[in-house]
PDB file of all heavy atoms in Angstrom:
ATOM      1  N   LYS A1532       5.902  15.260 -15.330  1.00  0.00           N
ATOM      2  CA  LYS A1532       5.363  14.002 -15.889  1.00  0.00           C
ATOM      3  C   LYS A1532       3.836  14.089 -15.869  1.00  0.00           C
ATOM      4  O   LYS A1532       3.241  14.481 -14.873  1.00  0.00           O
ATOM      5  CB  LYS A1532       5.840  12.797 -15.090  1.00  0.00           C
ATOM      6  CG  LYS A1532       7.333  12.535 -15.186  1.00  0.00           C
ATOM      7  CD  LYS A1532       7.684  11.817 -16.474  1.00  0.00           C
ATOM      8  CE  LYS A1532       9.181  11.621 -16.641  1.00  0.00           C
ATOM      9  NZ  LYS A1532       9.985  12.843 -16.757  1.00  0.00           N
ATOM     10  N   ARG A1533       3.207  13.691 -17.007  1.00  0.00           N
ATOM     11  CA  ARG A1533       1.743  13.757 -17.089  1.00  0.00           C
ATOM     12  C   ARG A1533       1.163  12.397 -16.706  1.00  0.00           C
ATOM     13  O   ARG A1533       1.533  11.366 -17.237  1.00  0.00           O
ATOM     14  CB  ARG A1533       1.326  14.178 -18.491  1.00  0.00           C
ATOM     15  CG  ARG A1533       1.639  15.656 -18.765  1.00  0.00           C
ATOM     16  CD  ARG A1533       1.732  15.972 -20.228  1.00  0.00           C
ATOM     17  NE  ARG A1533       2.520  14.950 -20.878  1.00  0.00           N
ATOM     18  CZ  ARG A1533       2.062  14.192 -21.878  1.00  0.00           C
ATOM     19  NH1 ARG A1533       0.847  14.366 -22.333  1.00  0.00           N
ATOM     20  NH2 ARG A1533       2.830  13.280 -22.432  1.00  0.00           N
ATOM     21  N   CYS A1534       0.238  12.459 -15.782  1.00  0.00           N
ATOM     22  CA  CYS A1534      -0.137  11.253 -15.055  1.00  0.00           C
ATOM     23  C   CYS A1534      -1.659  11.058 -15.019  1.00  0.00           C
ATOM     24  O   CYS A1534      -2.400  11.991 -14.705  1.00  0.00           O
ATOM     25  CB  CYS A1534       0.382  11.522 -13.628  1.00  0.00           C
ATOM     26  SG  CYS A1534       0.612  10.150 -12.667  1.00  0.00           S
ATOM     27  N   ILE A1535      -2.108   9.853 -15.343  1.00  0.00           N
ATOM     28  CA  ILE A1535      -3.538   9.518 -15.207  1.00  0.00           C
ATOM     29  C   ILE A1535      -3.701   8.580 -14.014  1.00  0.00           C
ATOM     30  O   ILE A1535      -2.958   7.590 -13.904  1.00  0.00           O
ATOM     31  CB  ILE A1535      -4.064   8.852 -16.500  1.00  0.00           C
ATOM     32  CG1 ILE A1535      -4.014   9.869 -17.655  1.00  0.00           C
ATOM     33  CG2 ILE A1535      -5.472   8.325 -16.304  1.00  0.00           C
ATOM     34  CD1 ILE A1535      -4.399   9.289 -19.012  1.00  0.00           C
ATOM     35  N   VAL A1536      -4.647   8.904 -13.150  1.00  0.00           N
ATOM     36  CA  VAL A1536      -4.837   8.107 -11.926  1.00  0.00           C
ATOM     37  C   VAL A1536      -6.189   7.399 -11.968  1.00  0.00           C
ATOM     38  O   VAL A1536      -7.219   8.039 -12.221  1.00  0.00           O
ATOM     39  CB  VAL A1536      -4.777   9.023 -10.671  1.00  0.00           C
ATOM     40  CG1 VAL A1536      -4.962   8.200  -9.392  1.00  0.00           C
ATOM     41  CG2 VAL A1536      -3.445   9.779 -10.615  1.00  0.00           C
ATOM     42  N   GLN A1537      -6.193   6.093 -11.737  1.00  0.00           N
ATOM     43  CA  GLN A1537      -7.467   5.373 -11.609  1.00  0.00           C
ATOM     44  C   GLN A1537      -7.744   5.129 -10.130  1.00  0.00           C
ATOM     45  O   GLN A1537      -6.964   4.460  -9.460  1.00  0.00           O
ATOM     46  CB  GLN A1537      -7.400   4.025 -12.342  1.00  0.00           C
ATOM     47  CG  GLN A1537      -8.720   3.278 -12.270  1.00  0.00           C
ATOM     48  CD  GLN A1537      -8.588   1.800 -12.590  1.00  0.00           C
ATOM     49  OE1 GLN A1537      -7.592   1.166 -12.254  1.00  0.00           O
ATOM     50  NE2 GLN A1537      -9.594   1.256 -13.233  1.00  0.00           N
ATOM     51  N   GLY A1538      -8.838   5.713  -9.633  1.00  0.00           N
ATOM     52  CA  GLY A1538      -9.201   5.491  -8.238  1.00  0.00           C
ATOM     53  C   GLY A1538      -8.853   6.706  -7.383  1.00  0.00           C
ATOM     54  O   GLY A1538      -7.704   7.097  -7.295  1.00  0.00           O
ATOM     55  N   LEU A1539      -9.872   7.267  -6.755  1.00  0.00           N
ATOM     56  CA  LEU A1539      -9.643   8.402  -5.864  1.00  0.00           C
ATOM     57  C   LEU A1539      -9.876   8.001  -4.418  1.00  0.00           C
ATOM     58  O   LEU A1539     -10.349   8.786  -3.609  1.00  0.00           O
ATOM     59  CB  LEU A1539     -10.584   9.562  -6.218  1.00  0.00           C
ATOM     60  CG  LEU A1539     -10.140  10.488  -7.363  1.00  0.00           C
ATOM     61  CD1 LEU A1539     -11.127  11.642  -7.518  1.00  0.00           C
ATOM     62  CD2 LEU A1539      -8.734  11.039  -7.134  1.00  0.00           C
ATOM     63  N   GLY A1540      -9.567   6.761  -4.119  1.00  0.00           N
ATOM     64  CA  GLY A1540      -9.652   6.308  -2.715  1.00  0.00           C
ATOM     65  C   GLY A1540      -8.467   6.858  -1.962  1.00  0.00           C
ATOM     66  O   GLY A1540      -7.795   7.802  -2.414  1.00  0.00           O
ATOM     67  N   ASN A1541      -8.169   6.255  -0.846  1.00  0.00           N
ATOM     68  CA  ASN A1541      -7.058   6.726  -0.010  1.00  0.00           C
ATOM     69  C   ASN A1541      -5.743   6.771  -0.785  1.00  0.00           C
ATOM     70  O   ASN A1541      -5.011   7.754  -0.732  1.00  0.00           O
ATOM     71  CB  ASN A1541      -6.947   5.801   1.211  1.00  0.00           C
ATOM     72  CG  ASN A1541      -5.774   6.161   2.093  1.00  0.00           C
ATOM     73  OD1 ASN A1541      -4.673   5.665   1.888  1.00  0.00           O
ATOM     74  ND2 ASN A1541      -5.988   7.038   3.037  1.00  0.00           N
ATOM     75  N   VAL A1542      -5.461   5.730  -1.557  1.00  0.00           N
ATOM     76  CA  VAL A1542      -4.169   5.643  -2.262  1.00  0.00           C
ATOM     77  C   VAL A1542      -4.088   6.671  -3.397  1.00  0.00           C
ATOM     78  O   VAL A1542      -3.164   7.497  -3.450  1.00  0.00           O
ATOM     79  CB  VAL A1542      -3.946   4.209  -2.801  1.00  0.00           C
ATOM     80  CG1 VAL A1542      -2.603   4.106  -3.507  1.00  0.00           C
ATOM     81  CG2 VAL A1542      -4.034   3.191  -1.682  1.00  0.00           C
ATOM     82  N   GLY A1543      -5.070   6.635  -4.301  1.00  0.00           N
ATOM     83  CA  GLY A1543      -5.037   7.510  -5.481  1.00  0.00           C
ATOM     84  C   GLY A1543      -5.091   8.982  -5.118  1.00  0.00           C
ATOM     85  O   GLY A1543      -4.364   9.797  -5.695  1.00  0.00           O
ATOM     86  N   SER A1544      -5.954   9.345  -4.176  1.00  0.00           N
ATOM     87  CA  SER A1544      -6.105  10.775  -3.860  1.00  0.00           C
ATOM     88  C   SER A1544      -4.865  11.316  -3.159  1.00  0.00           C
ATOM     89  O   SER A1544      -4.365  12.397  -3.498  1.00  0.00           O
ATOM     90  CB  SER A1544      -7.365  11.039  -3.021  1.00  0.00           C
ATOM     91  OG  SER A1544      -7.273  10.361  -1.803  1.00  0.00           O
ATOM     92  N   ASN A1545      -4.306  10.562  -2.235  1.00  0.00           N
ATOM     93  CA  ASN A1545      -3.076  11.031  -1.562  1.00  0.00           C
ATOM     94  C   ASN A1545      -1.903  11.075  -2.528  1.00  0.00           C
ATOM     95  O   ASN A1545      -1.099  12.012  -2.494  1.00  0.00           O
ATOM     96  CB  ASN A1545      -2.741  10.163  -0.352  1.00  0.00           C
ATOM     97  CG  ASN A1545      -3.525  10.575   0.871  1.00  0.00           C
ATOM     98  OD1 ASN A1545      -3.414  11.712   1.334  1.00  0.00           O
ATOM     99  ND2 ASN A1545      -4.352   9.686   1.373  1.00  0.00           N
ATOM    100  N   PHE A1546      -1.819  10.078  -3.411  1.00  0.00           N
ATOM    101  CA  PHE A1546      -0.730  10.109  -4.397  1.00  0.00           C
ATOM    102  C   PHE A1546      -0.856  11.363  -5.254  1.00  0.00           C
ATOM    103  O   PHE A1546       0.120  12.106  -5.463  1.00  0.00           O
ATOM    104  CB  PHE A1546      -0.772   8.865  -5.301  1.00  0.00           C
ATOM    105  CG  PHE A1546       0.070   9.051  -6.535  1.00  0.00           C
ATOM    106  CD1 PHE A1546       1.457   8.930  -6.467  1.00  0.00           C
ATOM    107  CD2 PHE A1546      -0.501   9.415  -7.745  1.00  0.00           C
ATOM    108  CE1 PHE A1546       2.251   9.169  -7.580  1.00  0.00           C
ATOM    109  CE2 PHE A1546       0.293   9.645  -8.873  1.00  0.00           C
ATOM    110  CZ  PHE A1546       1.655   9.520  -8.776  1.00  0.00           C
ATOM    111  N   ALA A1547      -2.054  11.610  -5.785  1.00  0.00           N
ATOM    112  CA  ALA A1547      -2.253  12.757  -6.704  1.00  0.00           C
ATOM    113  C   ALA A1547      -1.912  14.066  -6.005  1.00  0.00           C
ATOM    114  O   ALA A1547      -1.262  14.947  -6.581  1.00  0.00           O
ATOM    115  CB  ALA A1547      -3.689  12.756  -7.214  1.00  0.00           C
ATOM    116  N   GLN A1548      -2.331  14.207  -4.759  1.00  0.00           N
ATOM    117  CA  GLN A1548      -2.061  15.460  -4.031  1.00  0.00           C
ATOM    118  C   GLN A1548      -0.564  15.636  -3.750  1.00  0.00           C
ATOM    119  O   GLN A1548       0.003  16.697  -3.997  1.00  0.00           O
ATOM    120  CB  GLN A1548      -2.830  15.476  -2.704  1.00  0.00           C
ATOM    121  CG  GLN A1548      -4.310  15.751  -2.917  1.00  0.00           C
ATOM    122  CD  GLN A1548      -5.086  15.717  -1.619  1.00  0.00           C
ATOM    123  OE1 GLN A1548      -5.040  14.712  -0.888  1.00  0.00           O
ATOM    124  NE2 GLN A1548      -5.787  16.782  -1.298  1.00  0.00           N
ATOM    125  N   ILE A1549       0.064  14.580  -3.257  1.00  0.00           N
ATOM    126  CA  ILE A1549       1.497  14.683  -2.884  1.00  0.00           C
ATOM    127  C   ILE A1549       2.359  14.838  -4.134  1.00  0.00           C
ATOM    128  O   ILE A1549       3.291  15.643  -4.172  1.00  0.00           O
ATOM    129  CB  ILE A1549       1.912  13.463  -2.026  1.00  0.00           C
ATOM    130  CG1 ILE A1549       1.175  13.528  -0.673  1.00  0.00           C
ATOM    131  CG2 ILE A1549       3.422  13.422  -1.803  1.00  0.00           C
ATOM    132  CD1 ILE A1549       1.235  12.265   0.151  1.00  0.00           C
ATOM    133  N   ALA A1550       2.038  14.060  -5.179  1.00  0.00           N
ATOM    134  CA  ALA A1550       2.857  14.111  -6.411  1.00  0.00           C
ATOM    135  C   ALA A1550       2.770  15.494  -7.061  1.00  0.00           C
ATOM    136  O   ALA A1550       3.768  16.019  -7.552  1.00  0.00           O
ATOM    137  CB  ALA A1550       2.397  13.040  -7.380  1.00  0.00           C
ATOM    138  N   SER A1551       1.562  16.105  -7.055  1.00  0.00           N
ATOM    139  CA  SER A1551       1.475  17.426  -7.694  1.00  0.00           C
ATOM    140  C   SER A1551       2.087  18.501  -6.805  1.00  0.00           C
ATOM    141  O   SER A1551       2.762  19.400  -7.282  1.00  0.00           O
ATOM    142  CB  SER A1551       0.038  17.776  -8.123  1.00  0.00           C
ATOM    143  OG  SER A1551      -0.861  17.494  -7.093  1.00  0.00           O
TER     144      SER A1551
END
Side-chain angles (χ1 to χ4, degrees):
K1532 293 280 176 296
R1533 289 158 315 121
C1534 201
I1535 294 175
V1536 180
Q1537 182 198 35
L1539 277 184
N1541 176 271
V1542 181
S1544 61
N1545 277 300
F1546 164 78
Q1548 285 178 304
I1549 293 167
S1551 46

